[in-house]
Amino acid sequence: MGEQRRERMRLEISREAARLFWEQGVTATTGEQIADAVGISVRTLWRYFRNKESCVEPVLAQDAEECVAVLRRWPREVSLEDHLVEWATNRSKDPDQQSYDDAVIKMTVLAEKEPDLRTAWLMAHDQIERDLVEIIADRLRRPADDIQVRLHAAAATAVLRVISEDVSAALMAGADRASIGNPLKHMAHAVRVATGGAVGNPVDP
């Protein structure tokens, strides 16, 4: 099986696992149910994943990868707020994307009380932090091993994680999206505050 096909299958399994975990709970969901939902055998499922909880990793990893990709495209002469708002405005609004976003939101909420899912959630953000070190170092024109760059990356990642958790919890509790405000602007402002103004503003080209 080609690598791209394998990754597509892993993501399909991940989405079905996320749906079942949310509908039934992690404990009540079995590997057999996940495999049946995708139309594969349990034996095949375990070729892709070490246990049922790890099935959510691709959904969370894809979310982290999209976050990093957005930040890598951040123009130097543009503020973080403006860049994130422009991205959100132009982002695909197709039903498949909405389904994926909903899966991420639901797993973010479940990760608060499910230790194994929490591990996958935190590992996704660990990867974001590692990538942010390079992005911030380049933006500030400082070495990637500069301790201040690493602190900024850690602070920015914590902001992204905490606000994501807060917004996801509010949405799953029934809050109206309009009442939440603009989470992206909130994130950008919080990143600027957490980094003492070092990250978030336009910089020299």
Side-chain angles (χ1 to χ4, degrees):
M1 181 180 291
E3 188 60 29
Q4 287 188 338
R5 185 180 173 191
R6 176 181 175 81
E7 288 307 309
R8 284 197 300 271
M9 177 58 75
R10 280 174 52 82
L11 186 57
E12 182 180 352
I13 293 170
S14 190
R15 291 185 180 188
E16 287 299 325
R19 179 182 64 80
L20 290 168
F21 286 164
W22 181 257
E23 293 176 356
Q24 304 179 169
V26 177
T27 301
T29 299
T30 66
E32 287 80 2
Q33 290 174 324
I34 296 171
D36 286 344
V38 184
I40 60 176
S41 68
V42 177
R43 184 174 181 179
T44 299
L45 176 68
W46 300 139
R47 291 198 189 111
Y48 287 105
F49 298 98
R50 62 189 179 277
N51 54 44
K52 67 178 183 182
E53 291 83 5
S54 67
C55 288
V56 303
E57 290 174 359
V59 161
L60 297 178
Q62 185 179 23
D63 184 58
E65 288 166 8
E66 181 180 26
C67 175
V68 170
V70 169
L71 293 174
R72 287 194 189 282
R73 297 194 299 269
W74 179 15
R76 299 182 63 81
E77 68 278 8
V78 175
S79 71
L80 184 56
E81 287 95 336
D82 289 346
H83 177 59
L84 293 179
V85 169
E86 181 181 5
W87 164 75
T89 301
N90 296 322
R91 190 172 184 243
S92 170
K93 301 297 192 300
D94 64 72
D96 186 60
Q97 182 64 56
Q98 186 59 55
S99 174
Y100 158 68
D101 290 344
D102 288 345
V104 173
I105 290 170
K106 290 173 179 176
M107 291 308 95
T108 299
V109 173
L110 275 188
E112 282 289 316
K113 57 184 179 182
E114 295 286 348
D116 289 326
L117 300 190
R118 185 70 177 172
T119 297
W121 171 245
L122 294 177
M123 287 302 296
H125 282 77
D126 179 72
Q127 187 57 55
I128 291 176
E129 181 178 330
R130 291 172 186 273
D131 290 325
L132 266 179
V133 168
E134 297 178 9
I135 294 168
I136 292 174
D138 177 71
R139 196 165 182 85
L140 301 183
R141 301 193 190 285
R142 299 175 73 164
D145 60 356
D146 185 311
I147 184 63
Q148 202 60 49
V149 168
R150 293 175 58 201
L151 288 171
H152 289 331
T157 303
V159 164
L160 298 178
R161 178 180 58 78
V162 171
I163 293 179
S164 293
E165 291 171 348
D166 185 68
V167 170
S168 295
L171 290 173
M172 289 298 96
D176 183 81
R177 287 180 181 270
S179 69
I180 296 175
N182 190 321
L184 296 177
K185 286 188 176 182
H186 186 190
M187 283 182 179
H189 174 72
V191 165
R192 187 177 287 106
V193 171
T195 61
V199 181
N201 294 320
V203 295
D204 293 333

